[in-house]
Amino acid sequence: MNDLIKKVTQLLDDKTINVFIGYGQGTASRIRTIFVKNSSQVENLVYTSDCTANLAGYLLKHEVKKIGKLGILANDSALRSMMQLASEFQIKDGEVYVLHAAKDGSFTEFADFQSIEAYLVTIDTGITSDEQERIAKLEAMTVKERWIFWNKEFEKCIKCYACRAACPMCYCHRCTTDVNQPQWIPVASHEQGNLDYHLMRAMHLAGRCVNCGECANACPMDIPLNLLTYQLIAPIRTTFDATAGMKADAVYALSTFKPDDKENFII
Amino acid sequence: MEKELKILKYSDLPKMIEKFISQGYPVLAPVHKGKIVEIEYVQSLDSIALDVLLSTQSAKKAAFPKVEKVLEYTMNKAGVVQHPVDPADSKETILFGVRPCDASGFKSLDAIFGEGPSDQFYLSKKEKTTIISFSCPVADEYCFCTSVGGGPGNTAGSDLQFTSVSKDELLVEILTEKGKKASRIFADLLTEANSAIDKTKFIADVKVVFDLDSVVAKTTASFGNAELWLEQSLRCIGCGACAFVCPTCACFDFQDEQDTKKGVRLRLWDSCGFSLFTLHTSGHNPREVQSQRWRQRIMHKFAYMPEQLKVVGCEGCGRCSRACPVDMNIKEHLTAIREQVTV
Ligand code: SF4
Ligand code: SF4
């Protein structure tokens, strides 16, 4: 913790960065994102086992970017989001100062995207065993049972779009749900509108979701949305040998064509 | 009307619900759904979650549902034929087991929907809803009802209010004519109450955290204080969770859904937190950035509504803070306005 404070103080003092995105104490024992702009605010930084949120989404927020050069405390998920965002031309190498927070509480500076990539190949990018279990249960269901399961979950949805807002990969300036000429997705939060929205979102995250779980954590109605996007990770991996958020110059599996691509999914 | 006090036995609650249902009144009440608590139609007391602090969403959907059909139409070569939806086409309903902040939330909605060309879709549903609230025996750190003129035993907006006064008995306050009418349905279960009974002994102690007049004055003076709104909202991600769980947020959108022959016009919840909310067709957006949208949320509730409708647009339920994925805590932000702004 002292290392973190020392490092961030130095970065702000020597103007390497203008703001550091990290974790601070929130209300009701929650952890929240804080933006440290000068060394007098550095003491507000905390780092505990509860600091699990993926902060990478803030790298794209207009009002955050306007502050100046950004520094970020990135956990493994945030690093992967950053690589994915880089591959989609949303952030550039050298633009962001990256301090990596490892699970053991140590902090390492990553000088460039290449060193992030080198680190990412050494970690386990899979989903947790609890999530695996839940997905296995879903996959064991008949199509009809699964349909009922998801419709029941979506029934609770109020279309607050917290899932979309919390997802670092949902950065589109004009989301498909917001387009009205033509209208692709019914705006209403009724059965059809909820179903269409969630299927569209899942499809748009296939091969891009870095399994950080922010969507499900954000949902006020406790809908396990992450299971929907996580279920698409394995097919993309086995079909196209692609894993999201590993390389800054990756080409997106679903928008590229290789002559040896498998075609077994075409019916 | 003068309020009346009665006693109802806990053990008679199932019978009371049965009576409502058998006499044709649908009952809306909080229901556990996994980790959240929804407000839904129930058939018996068993499914009602009376042990929870607050439902996840407010009870506003009783009169202001998230999706509401307001018009149907058909189209043919000659043009469009409208088939109006009758706003009065709803059943008399009992809204049961909600909290005082839910009941008083309807006061703000009444003011909003009753102003100007009054909104019959809301008003007629509200008129047909009898609200039976339960005072709060406990509160949590998100609650600040007493700072915005409410309280854990506040009866404003309720037709009947129940307070647990012992482990077997509920004090029943009959507060309105509507409440009186509903109480007749289970009159045989009620006994006289001792008028000296002190309700405050049975409800939570919610500390006042700020002086409302001062918050209203300071918020009203802060429109141009861009720094304040930016500082507060830098972590806001611009979703609509706060507005959708709020008992007083009333913004809506209209959408037509149609095929080539017929269509419906729907009224849907909307939120000032969305970037699309104020986006003009031209592409211009008068609230371009999130801090301006956050300012709107707070100013609407604590400056514009007090000025125009003589009500504050917040009940202090804290639902928005609980629902917020990034811990925007309205109690904290209002306290900061109270402390930081000088007028
Ligand atoms: S966060 Fe939950 S309630 Fe909100 S739109 Fe997403 S799934 Fe629906
Ligand atoms: S603004 Fe928040 S605290 Fe106030 S009534 Fe709405 S949800 Fe409750």
Side-chain angles (χ1 to χ4, degrees), chain A residues 154 156-164 189 194 197-198 215 218-223 225, chain B residues 241 244:
Chain A
F154 296 156
K156 298 187 285 186
C157 177
I158 50 177
K159 274 205 177 167
C160 67
Y161 297 126
C163 43
R164 180 181 71 176
S189 176
N194 288 350
Y197 163 58
H198 287 294
C215 53
C219 179
M221 306 309 283
D222 197 36
I223 303 173
L225 294 161
Chain B
F244 290 178

Side-chain angles (χ1 to χ4, degrees), chain A residues 30 158 160 162 217-221, chain B residues 56-57 142 239-246 318-328:
Chain A
R30 290 172 74 180
I158 50 177
C160 67
N217 289 340
C219 179
M221 306 309 283
Chain B
T56 310
Q57 279 188 68
Y142 291 104
C239 72
C242 49
F244 290 178
V245 299
C246 175
R319 278 194 175 87
C320 50
S321 315
R322 290 185 199 90
C324 180
V326 296
D327 193 32
M328 294 291 288

